[in-house]
Amino acid sequence: AQSVTQLGSHVSVSEGALVLLRCNYSSSVPPYLFWYVQYPNQGLQLLLKYTSAATLVKGINGFEAEFKKSETSFHLTKPSAHMSDAAEYFCAVSEGFGNEKLTFGTGTRLTIIP
Amino acid sequence: EAGVTQSPTHLIKTRGQQVTLRCSPISGHTSVYWYQQALGLGLQFLLWYDEGEERNRGNFPPRFSGRQFPNYSSELNVNALELEDSALYLCASSLDPGTGFEQYFGPGTRLTVT
C-alpha cells in the first residue's frame, strides 16, 4: 500500500528565505510522486512531478524537488520565498498502471512573514 | 486550453437528500477521478473512471456512485446525504495511463449538508 507523510502541518518562513517542505513516501513499487499547491477556496495546481527520469525535478514558480530513494523522500524547496507562495502544499504518490489513484499527505500550510 | 470544470460551485442540501455533481475533463483526457476533501480528513480518493468504466474505488460506502459519459464528462452521485458528507469535492482528469499520470484538478464543488 502506498502512503505519504508530510512533516510539519504549518511552516513559516521570512520573505526571501529558503522554503523547505518535507515529504516521505511508502510504496511497494517504484513510485510516481507529485507536489500540488492549493490556494484558499481553489482546487489543486500541479507544481511538479517525478516519474523515474531525473531525480532533481524543476517545477513552476521556482520550486524544485529531489527524489531520494534511499531516504524515501521527495522534499520540496524554493531558494527565496515570495509572499505569493503562501498556500497549502500537498505531496502525493501514485503507483500507476492500474493503481492511478493519488494518495495525499495531510498537507503543509506555508506562511510567509514579510 | 480550458481546464477541468465542475458544477455547481456551491451546494447546500439537507440530510437524507440526494446530490449530483458534474465534471468536464480537459479536452483529450479520458480518465476522470473524484476526491473528497473534508475538514480534518484530508484528501481522499473516491472513484476513477476511464473510457466509461469504473476502474477503482476508494473506501467509501455504496451511496457514493458515479458514471462517465461517452464524451468523458462525469457525474458523482451521493444518496442519503449525511452531515459528514460536507466537504469540497474535487474532480481531476488525466490522459491515458502511461503518460506520466499527472492529474489536473478542477476548482471543486463545496457541498454543505445541514
Side-chain angles (χ1 to χ4, degrees):
Chain A
Q2 57 198 37
S3 67
V4 172
T5 302
Q6 289 185 243
L7 291 175
S9 58
H10 292 85
V11 170
S12 295
V13 301
S14 298
E15 191 175 13
L18 171 72
V19 175
L20 170 60
L21 305 181
R22 300 180 187 273
C23 172
N24 288 88
Y25 70 91
S26 172
S27 176
S28 56
V29 300
Y32 298 88
L33 294 161
F34 307 85
W35 275 99
Y36 285 87
V37 60
Q38 186 176 35
Y39 297 99
N41 300 313
Q42 294 187 26
L44 302 176
Q45 181 182 11
L46 179 66
L47 278 177
L48 48 80
K49 67 176 183 180
Y50 167 77
T51 55
S52 76
T55 56
L56 183 61
V57 181
K58 294 188 183 298
I60 62 172
N61 301 339
F63 284 94
E64 62 182 37
E66 185 172 9
F67 173 72
K68 291 187 177 181
K69 184 178 179 180
S70 61
E71 298 176 9
T72 60
S73 68
F74 190 57
H75 301 331
L76 181 71
T77 60
K78 181 174 180 177
S80 177
H82 191 273
M83 295 300 294
S84 61
D85 295 327
E88 187 143 23
Y89 292 79
F90 292 92
C91 181
V93 63
S94 171
E95 295 182 345
F97 296 104
N99 191 20
E100 272 77 9
K101 69 175 183 181
L102 290 173
T103 298
F104 287 89
T106 51
T108 297
R109 184 168 300 279
L110 177 64
T111 300
I112 310 299
I113 304 166
Chain B
E1 178 183 281
V4 176
T5 59
Q6 293 185 244
S7 63
T9 305
H10 294 88
L11 208 50
I12 300 175
K13 290 287 188 177
T14 303
R15 193 171 59 181
Q17 286 186 316
Q18 177 266 343
V19 69
T20 298
L21 311 182
R22 294 176 175 82
C23 172
S24 292
I26 291 171
S27 177
H29 287 192
T30 61
S31 277
V32 170
Y33 309 80
W34 287 94
Y35 294 87
Q36 182 197 65
Q37 187 175 25
L39 200 61
L41 294 178
L43 280 152
Q44 297 186 75
F45 167 74
L46 261 168
L47 290 160
W48 169 33
Y49 291 95
D50 183 62
E51 297 286 358
E53 300 285 334
E54 182 180 303
R55 302 296 187 185
N56 200 355
R57 182 182 182 84
N59 189 24
F60 281 85
R63 58 190 186 82
F64 286 83
S65 65
R67 55 180 174 168
Q68 187 178 33
F69 298 98
N71 67 353
Y72 303 113
S73 67
S74 177
E75 285 182 351
L76 173 68
N77 298 293
V78 187
N79 294 320
L81 283 166
E82 300 180 2
L83 295 178
E84 53 263 35
D85 297 334
S86 295
L88 180 67
Y89 289 85
L90 293 165
C91 172
S93 73
S94 72
L95 289 168
D96 285 343
T99 58
F101 306 102
E102 64 261 40
Q103 297 176 20
Y104 295 90
F105 284 78
T109 293
R110 174 77 58 186
L111 172 64
T112 302
V113 182
T114 62

